[in-house]
Amino acid sequence: MNDHHTRALHFRSLHVPGEPLVLVNAWDAASARIVASAGARAVATTSAGVAWSLGTPDGDALGRDTAVDLVRRITAAVSLPVTADIESGYGDTVDEVAATVEAVLAAGAVGVNVEDARHDGAVPLRPVDEQCARLAAVRSAADRAGVPLYVNARIDTLLRGAGGVPETVARARAYLDAGADGVFVPGAVDPATIAALVAAIPAPLNVMAGPGAPAVPELAKLGVARVSLGSSVAQAAYAVARRAAEEAFAAGTYGGLADALDYGTLNELMRG
């Protein structure tokens, strides 16, 4: 069994309801190493953070090759399992989605997030049968590669106001039948909603957390298996840049930089 296969099996084993895997999403090699050094069990990318760092908006605007190159840089930077947010698959057809998964696997990832949101101004979410076909293509590509890729099906019903718990559960069950391993429901922060999803979805549930969301111990009690911080860490980092710039241009002072990581610490992290 090769290292890639072993990392994939290990990553799969980390999804335990009631003992959630906490993912502090990274967007470049430095943030990935910082997260890893803080005690992470795995590293996840954030599509928004990645896109912003590369000069494009989030929402399927990033090209496949550029996205995959970033995944390759992160997998090379850390020894932990890496799961990649591939948005809706960086392709219009199932064959293009499969090609993305093949490339992401070749880059060293052992998991992917695949969302059912649309970003083309049409309906908010893809039709269920269309998304199932895309997920089946993801699973087939992984099977051909011989890697037990963890496929996390992201459902944007709650985040986009495109359905409540019943619609979310119906989509989750269909996506699991199509080959997904887990279900990611961003926008689920109310404990009662989370408990209902845990009870109705026969797979590990991933929620997105941040300020205002239940703490990890509470999410564990609700039966959550995975907690992601999403783009919020990148947003916070960019907020520091904005505050520092505004302070320097307006007051000519530098107080916003007082809690910066030490140069030597960061440089040493990048030495590996």
Side-chain angles (χ1 to χ4, degrees):
M1 187 179 295
N2 61 37
D3 289 344
H4 196 185
H5 195 281
T6 301
R7 283 196 305 276
L9 288 176
H10 176 59
F11 182 66
R12 182 176 292 271
S13 75
L14 297 176
H15 294 77
V16 181
E19 299 177 16
L21 168 65
V22 179
L23 296 171
V24 179
N25 301 69
W27 62 96
D28 61 9
S31 59
R33 284 199 173 169
I34 289 168
V35 168
S37 70
R41 294 189 288 165
V43 171
T45 67
T46 159
S47 67
V50 167
W52 298 332
S53 74
L54 295 172
T56 65
D58 189 29
D60 287 330
L62 196 62
R64 177 196 296 140
D65 291 346
T66 304
V68 171
D69 180 65
L70 190 282
V71 173
R72 185 177 296 108
R73 290 174 182 273
I74 288 180
T75 60
V78 297
S79 59
L80 297 171
V82 173
T83 182
D85 182 345
I86 60 171
E87 304 190 52
S88 65
Y90 301 119
D92 294 328
T93 69
V94 293
D95 288 342
E96 289 172 336
V97 173
T100 296
V101 172
E102 290 167 359
V104 167
L105 283 168
V110 296
V112 291
N113 276 14
V114 186
E115 66 187 48
D116 60 3
R118 296 187 68 101
H119 301 279
D120 56 7
V123 295
L125 305 183
R126 293 182 186 276
V128 173
D129 58 348
E130 180 182 329
Q131 185 65 5
C132 285
R134 295 169 78 84
L135 289 168
V138 171
R139 175 54 61 205
S140 294
D143 290 346
R144 287 194 299 273
V147 178
L149 181 75
Y150 190 92
V151 181
N152 204 30
R154 172 171 158 167
I155 303 175
D156 272 17
T157 43
L158 301 184
L159 195 63
R160 287 172 165 255
V165 170
E167 173 67 14
T168 304
V169 171
R171 282 180 174 262
R173 290 178 176 271
Y175 297 169
L176 292 169
D177 287 344
D181 298 293
V183 173
F184 180 27
V185 186
V189 293
D190 173 65
T193 299
I194 294 171
L197 292 172
V198 168
I201 296 173
L205 178 68
N206 180 187
V207 299
M208 186 183 293
V216 171
E218 184 176 351
L219 293 172
K221 291 178 182 178
L222 292 169
V224 170
R226 176 165 158 175
V227 179
S228 303
L229 270 58
S231 64
S232 61
V233 183
Q235 289 173 253
Y238 291 132
V240 172
R242 179 173 177 171
R243 287 195 298 270
E246 290 175 343
E247 181 184 358
F249 299 148
T253 55
Y254 327 103
L257 302 176
D259 295 325
L261 280 175
D262 178 72
Y263 171 89
T265 298
L266 277 171
N267 215 39
E268 198 57 37
L269 266 179
M270 298 316 295
R271 294 185 196 278

